[in-house]
Amino acid sequence: MYNVGVEARFWGGKLSLETELFYRKREGIIAQNIEDVPSTFGADLPVVNINSQEKRGIEISAIYQERFGDFFLVVAPNFSLARARWIDVKSQEEFEDEDQRRLFGLDGQQVNRFVGYVSDGIFMSQAEIDNHPVDQDENGNSTLRPGDIKFVDRDGDGLLTFRDQEEIAYAQGIPEMVYGMNLDLEYKNFRLSGLIQGASMFSINISGSARTMFSNQSIPLTYQYDLRWQPDLNDPTVNVNPDAQLPAATQSPSFNNNRNSDFFVKDVTYFRLKNLNLSYSFPRNVVEKLNMDQAEIYVAGENLVLLTNLGIYKNSFDPEFEPGSPTSRLPITRSFAAGIRVTL
């Protein structure tokens, strides 16, 4: 592991800066040696120390503090970015096919990648399916239904196969990019403090009852009801919902709609005003008359602003939660508080 760091101060200590670059190489990661041992071996292989991986990144933090008369300002931003890449992987078979190697091979690939199909909206009518130039189900599109997801024929051969997949998102889990800032502003007896934070370069998989209406007898979510493909009662092959963005209602998704794709796997970037606090400390002569050591009144808010690129899912998924169905979590809540702090 290698680390290079720089610490610096400018303008008489008003600005402090810390920057660190790091590189880590891990060898001997345990896995089964599928590459060198044929599948005809006929037994479970033991795990051995065979795989290797490298990770590199940067971390930056700074503190700026300044006094302007009765004002005192402190701003402390931070930023980190770390990416990991496989060097040599023997826990999978060698791929002879170029597209298989491109999509599923791990040697030399970033660890944080998600492969799938690129979506192109939904089929609004049976006529649109009948006139679709791509054989999407490898059965003349006979299994497709109005409201199903449409996918891009990446290689242009008129047939949707595994070769039409590409890297569509970062993997689920820990974000590779994280950023934030602490803010503190004081004016005489007033103080305003807050925390801004955010992250990027990770994804959320819209799954379970968040993906499929009536999944496990669940109650449909609002966006599912409002944005579903909806058939005309007089002609069930035609949509009547002008806001339709999601497949038709069903208890279980079809194979077509359940493919790994960017329709339900969403790259996430978010920015959140995590908290904001405003307080007023009573003057010293006032608290002494009241036989107190300190007295303060305050108002505070949490989750005041949340900006994400999740679109219709933004009110169901909190990007800070671990992957999973949003219906098992409480909705994102904005809270406020007010009070008095007294020290005797």
Side-chain angles (χ1 to χ4, degrees):
M1 186 170 188
Y2 301 92
N3 289 70
V4 176
V6 176
E7 295 183 11
R9 289 175 179 264
F10 303 93
W11 305 316
K14 293 180 180 180
L15 174 63
S16 300
L17 178 66
E18 294 184 11
T19 302
E20 181 179 357
L21 297 171
F22 66 87
Y23 172 84
R24 181 179 68 178
K25 183 178 181 180
R26 298 172 59 203
E27 297 179 300
I29 300 174
I30 59 173
Q32 293 179 321
N33 191 352
I34 299 176
E35 180 181 286
D36 295 333
V37 180
S39 58
T40 54
F41 179 70
D44 290 335
L45 297 175
V47 292
V48 289
N49 303 90
I50 51 174
N51 291 343
S52 58
Q53 186 184 108
E54 64 179 6
K55 189 174 187 178
R56 62 193 71 201
I58 182 172
E59 295 179 355
I60 303 173
S61 62
I63 299 177
Y64 175 76
Q65 50 188 351
E66 179 70 275
R67 184 173 295 279
F68 307 93
D70 292 328
F71 287 92
F72 181 65
L73 173 67
V74 179
V75 180
N78 61 80
F79 172 86
S80 68
L81 172 64
R83 300 217 70 188
R85 182 180 69 88
W86 291 108
I87 300 174
D88 185 30
V89 179
K90 295 184 179 298
S91 55
Q92 64 175 186
E93 297 180 8
E94 288 269 4
F95 292 111
E96 300 294 335
D97 186 278
E98 181 180 347
D99 284 321
Q100 287 184 328
R101 185 164 54 250
R102 170 179 63 86
L103 296 169
F104 311 121
L106 297 179
D107 287 346
Q109 295 283 6
Q110 298 290 339
V111 173
N112 188 18
R113 63 193 294 262
F114 193 99
V115 170
Y117 294 91
V118 177
S119 61
D120 187 25
I122 58 178
F123 291 104
M124 290 298 179
S125 65
Q126 182 62 47
E128 188 175 348
I129 295 175
D130 295 339
N131 296 323
H132 192 51
V134 179
D135 186 353
Q136 191 164 293
D137 63 355
E138 299 186 53
N139 197 26
N141 294 335
S142 61
T143 64
L144 300 183
R145 297 293 179 265
D148 280 357
I149 302 172
K150 187 190 307 181
F151 296 105
V152 174
D153 177 20
R154 183 181 179 275
D155 59 10
D157 65 354
L159 186 67
L160 192 72
T161 66
F162 81 91
R163 302 181 190 278
D164 296 304
Q165 296 180 87
E166 60 184 63
E167 187 174 327
I168 59 172
Y170 296 98
Q172 299 180 75
I174 299 175
E176 291 188 335
M177 180 187 297
V178 179
Y179 43 87
M181 183 174 68
N182 287 291
L183 172 68
D184 197 344
L185 176 63
E186 297 179 18
Y187 174 71
K188 295 183 177 180
N189 291 36
F190 291 93
R191 181 181 180 184
L192 178 67
S193 61
L195 171 63
I196 298 171
Q197 65 180 57
S200 186
M201 300 175 69
F202 72 110
S203 69
I204 287 178
N205 185 10
I206 311 301
S207 59
S209 56
R211 175 184 294 197
T212 307
M213 295 175 67
F214 311 115
S215 174
N216 291 326
Q217 300 181 347
S218 62
I219 298 174
L221 302 177
T222 300
Y223 67 78
Q224 292 174 325
Y225 184 84
D226 292 340
L227 302 178
R228 76 194 189 283
W229 185 94
Q230 187 175 349
D232 187 337
L233 295 179
N234 297 318
D235 184 359
T237 67
V238 177
N239 170 64
V240 294
N241 182 4
D243 298 321
Q245 300 179 46
L246 296 174
T250 180
Q251 289 188 324
S252 59
S254 64
F255 170 78
N256 178 79
N257 292 350
N258 212 29
R259 297 175 190 264
N260 287 329
S261 75
D262 62 358
F263 197 92
F264 290 117
V265 178
K266 301 297 184 181
D267 265 338
V268 182
T269 295
Y270 76 89
F271 170 93
R272 185 197 300 271
L273 177 55
K274 184 68 175 179
N275 56 62
L276 194 65
N277 299 272
L278 176 63
S279 62
Y280 174 77
S281 298
F282 289 95
R284 190 68 186 171
N285 61 337
V286 174
V287 296
E288 287 178 350
K289 289 179 181 180
L290 298 174
N291 295 321
M292 299 177 182
D293 184 58
Q294 186 178 7
E296 178 185 77
I297 59 174
Y298 70 92
V299 291
E302 187 170 357
N303 289 333
L304 299 180
V305 178
L306 174 61
L307 303 176
T308 77
N309 60 344
L310 290 177
I312 62 175
Y313 306 108
K314 65 181 181 180
N315 294 324
S316 296
F317 279 89
D318 186 335
E320 287 191 84
F321 282 150
E322 296 179 359
S325 175
T327 53
S328 63
R329 305 280 190 175
L330 291 175
I332 302 171
T333 57
R334 183 183 295 114
S335 61
F336 300 91
I340 301 175
R341 296 190 185 95
V342 175
T343 303
L344 300 176

